Amino acid sequence: MRRRIHQSAAGGRRVLAFSAGDTADRRRLRGHGLATAADLLDALHSAATARSRDPFGRLRPVDRERFARCWLAAARYLAEADRALCAAARGAGDRSPAPAARGGAGAGPG
């Protein structure tokens, strides 16, 4: 997911349009229990490739706002997932301040 977000930030929606048919990333995310991440990545790919036609059959412009909203949602999810995984790794899943932040005797890395 991080790679796709960075690719779209650097190259725009067209970069994602080329890989929209590749579902390996989304399957991998779902396989690891990250269904929301897979759904957000799916929405990002969809927003990158979705183009409707007018009554004369001409392609309409891409909805850039939709793409921007999908990108922002995916990036925000990724940032929050990183934060949660780091907190769980250090055993601070309860969101309590770290010992060094509380101060007092013996606070700090041990």
Side-chain angles (χ1 to χ4, degrees):
M1 183 173 188
R2 179 182 317 281
R3 181 184 52 188
R4 296 298 183 200
I5 290 171
H6 286 273
Q7 282 177 338
S8 62
R13 67 164 192 82
R14 288 187 179 125
V15 173
L16 288 181
F18 291 124
S19 63
D22 182 17
T23 60
D25 292 338
R26 290 164 270 184
R27 277 196 321 269
R28 192 174 304 118
L29 287 169
R30 281 193 178 87
H32 289 291
L34 298 169
T36 301
D39 291 344
L40 287 169
L41 190 56
D42 212 13
L44 187 61
H45 278 287
S46 175
T49 58
R51 301 223 23 210
S52 59
R53 295 189 179 269
D54 68 9
F56 300 105
R58 297 176 296 210
L59 284 174
R60 290 186 174 154
V62 173
D63 186 356
R64 293 179 185 184
E65 287 184 27
R66 177 180 171 218
F67 180 74
R69 283 191 309 271
C70 289
W71 184 90
L72 185 59
R76 181 67 185 129
Y77 174 87
L78 185 61
E80 191 60 27
D82 282 346
R83 187 213 54 78
L85 289 171
C86 287
R90 25 170 242 265
D94 61 352
R95 294 185 182 235
S96 62
R102 281 185 251 152

